[in-house]
Amino acid sequence: MTIGIGLLGLGTVGAGVAGILATPSGRHPLVGELALRRVAVRDPARPRPVELAAELLSTDPEAVVDDPAVDIVVEVMGGLEPARSLILRAIAAGKPVVTANKAVIARYGEEIAAAAAAQGVYVLIEAAVGGGIPIIEPLKQSLGANRIQRVSGIINGTTNYILSRMAAEGAAYADVLADAQRLGYAEADPAADVQGGDAADKIAILAGLAYGGSVPRATIPTEGIDRLDARDVAYAAQLGYVVKLLAVAQAMPGSQAEQLLDVRVHPTLLPKVHPLAGVNGVNNAILVEGDPVGQVMFYGPGAGAGPTASAVVADILNIAGIRQATGNGSNARLDPLLAAGSWRPCRLVDSAVTSHRNYVRLRTSDRAGVIGAIGTCFGEAGVSIQSIVQFETQSAGDAEIVVITHEVCEANFRQALAAIEALADVQAVAACLRTL
Ligand code: NAP
Ligand code: HSE
């Protein structure tokens, strides 16, 4: 039984998918049952890394969705619109959808899931998080018996590639970002990568699956690597840490009626021995902590044509397998684990009540008593210091002081910083990063 595929987009990911479909030999036999029927692009004249018959290409994505020869719609065009409307159009036509579009799913996942449930079709999103790493299906299915305590990870390949090369080679930020774009890792607008928005989309999706309810994407505190100073990466290294863009979703104590969560994205100092500290280049890793499983880590290439296409085609095969088992699948009831609907409300906590370890770099006068005064401000706010180190600066009479705190309540930490900023000998709180 041949299954018709309609591809919306033939860029980095779309070309990877077309490449797998064109070469089924040695793969699962179901791959040989998939036939690429139509492909939507913006510019049919653009050179492509895969050879396709010219008549397959269309500049009308709605026509691709509507084509009766298309059984499964694969959305890999990116952006919010028309991607969202095309996904909803496919669902309304009773066609299952596979998408790699985390931006759409993080914002419109509830709307899309409701439409899919009403129509009895699957919308599968394995490629939306972690590139080639299987993490969506494990969260939906293999880890379903657990109470998830925390999901944390490096889930943006572009920024991990940039940070790794800056740390290893001292490479310049702009040069490495250009390489990440050339290699197909970055989003069409790389601001989404470097400002942390892409990782926030992905942690919203992971948290939604781990905790069973939609997470309000717009309220996730998000900080990227675009304002990270190379000096902090160097100081962190001297103190035994690496800096990574970390996304975290953590269960917080609260009522039975809803799940309270601390969800955030920011550059973070990881001790060099931490399991995520050795994740370099375009690789991603997601650490899931659950009861009773303990810690499970998923690791692999987080972006790029091949790895992402591997995840997209896995989703297509899941749907193809169900269609094969049920005839055409149209009257089958959805498997609740694969469909992954919400089962409880989730809400983000006020970050002022959360607790973290912190790294602070202060620019100060190099005078007797400065470190004492800083220590007093922390102490009076109830913030316990783990270490305080003074680094040499180029300008005589000035000092750079780096403080690492123990785990402290965010509100107390902010109170200490306000008092420190008011000290006459403190020129600036130059950097503030979270520490694990
Ligand atoms: P891309 O290289 O920019 O490709 C986008 C494709 O969509 C292009 O072929 C483009 O046509 C086509 N397209 C865009 N708007 C269109 C429209 N209105 N009508 C018809 N065709 C349109 O993007 P990508 O890197 O493959 O990413 C695609 C999606 O996968 C995004 O949601 C991204 O976030 C996600 N993703 C990407 C990666 C990765 O490593 N790149 C990994 C995971 C997930 P033309 O070629 O003619 O311009
Ligand atoms: N731009 C994304 C990244 C693609 O660098 O991780 C994979 O989702």
Side-chain angles (χ1 to χ4, degrees):
M1 178 172 60
T2 303
I3 296 170
I5 306 298
L7 201 51
L8 305 177
L10 192 62
T12 301
V13 182
V17 172
I20 294 176
L21 300 189
T23 56
S25 168
R27 309 189 198 279
H28 191 283
L30 264 180
V31 178
E33 308 282 319
L34 308 173
L36 196 53
R37 302 287 197 204
R38 307 238 1 226
V39 181
V41 294
R42 259 182 313 222
D43 176 8
R46 200 178 131 188
R48 311 277 168 185
V50 281
E51 267 187 38
L52 289 183
E55 61 270 22
L56 283 186
L57 297 186
S58 166
T59 54
D60 182 354
E62 291 187 352
V64 173
V65 172
D66 296 345
D67 190 327
V70 167
D71 300 307
I72 302 175
V73 172
V74 178
E75 188 277 304
V76 284
M77 65 200 303
L80 296 180
E81 287 293 353
R84 167 186 157 274
S85 299
L86 291 164
I87 290 170
L88 291 170
R89 188 181 183 97
I91 293 168
K95 298 186 183 189
V97 175
V98 172
T99 179
N101 195 328
K102 55 269 177 164
V104 162
I105 296 300
R107 288 163 186 77
Y108 303 110
E110 257 191 312
E111 179 190 22
I112 289 169
Q119 278 292 334
V121 295
Y122 290 103
V123 175
L124 300 187
I125 60 166
E126 185 59 70
V129 183
I133 305 172
I135 178 63
I136 300 289
E137 291 311 321
L139 274 180
K140 279 166 29 177
Q141 309 204 41
S142 325
L143 293 169
N146 288 274
R147 292 190 194 98
I148 304 295
Q149 293 141 343
R150 183 155 57 171
V151 179
S152 55
I154 295 166
I155 50 178
N156 181 268
T158 300
T159 46
N160 204 45
Y161 178 79
I162 293 172
L163 289 175
S164 303
R165 284 199 49 200
M166 283 175 73
E169 306 160 28
Y173 176 88
D175 294 347
V176 199
L177 173 58
D179 282 349
Q181 289 177 285
R182 185 178 47 75
L183 291 163
Y185 302 157
E187 295 302 300
D189 176 0
D193 296 293
V194 298
Q195 293 175 3
D198 178 78
D201 290 346
K202 291 167 175 170
I203 197 67
I205 293 171
L206 294 183
L209 293 172
Y211 296 105
S214 175
V215 170
R217 163 65 182 85
T219 57
I220 296 176
T222 303
E223 199 186 318
I225 64 161
D226 52 328
R227 287 181 296 162
L228 187 63
D229 192 318
R231 245 176 319 183
D232 293 308
V233 177
Y235 289 164
Q238 290 182 49
L239 296 170
Y241 296 89
V242 292
V243 180
K244 297 287 185 187
L245 184 67
L246 207 70
V248 181
Q250 183 168 344
M252 303 291 285
S255 75
Q256 295 284 327
E258 63 179 358
Q259 178 64 61
L260 275 183
L261 296 173
D262 178 16
V263 183
R264 53 209 152 76
V265 172
H266 45 65
T268 305
L269 272 71
L270 303 178
K272 284 179 182 167
V273 293
H274 190 278
L276 293 171
V279 175
N280 287 315
V282 73
N283 288 310
N284 283 189
I286 300 112
L287 186 62
V288 181
E289 294 164 63
D291 167 29
V293 72
Q295 291 193 337
V296 184
M297 189 153 117
F298 300 81
Y299 170 84
T308 312
S310 157
V312 169
V313 176
D315 277 348
I316 299 174
L317 291 176
N318 254 321
I319 294 167
I322 290 166
R323 287 179 73 88
Q324 211 173 57
T326 60
N328 68 6
S330 57
N331 291 322
R333 285 171 57 127
L334 291 180
D335 168 346
L337 293 181
L338 193 59
S342 294
W343 46 272
R344 68 174 157 190
C346 291
R347 186 166 62 83
L348 299 200
V349 287
D350 176 357
S351 61
V353 305
T354 61
S355 293
H356 313 278
R357 292 176 72 216
N358 302 279
Y359 161 107
V360 193
R361 175 163 57 87
L362 304 167
R363 267 204 311 274
T364 71
S365 318
D366 190 8
R367 287 184 5 169
V370 175
I371 286 186
I374 291 166
T376 301
C377 292
F378 277 122
E380 284 176 350
V383 173
S384 170
I385 292 173
Q386 180 197 296
S387 70
I388 185 160
V389 182
Q390 180 168 332
F391 287 92
E392 297 275 316
T393 64
Q394 302 276 325
S395 73
D398 289 347
E400 283 208 307
I401 294 172
V402 168
V403 180
I404 295 186
T405 72
H406 284 297
E407 186 168 318
V408 293
C409 173
E410 182 69 16
N412 294 41
F413 179 65
R414 287 183 201 163
Q415 183 193 330
L417 283 190
I420 288 166
E421 269 178 321
L423 292 174
D425 280 318
V426 172
Q427 293 145 20
V429 176
C432 220
L433 298 168
R434 293 274 164 78
T435 305
L436 279 195

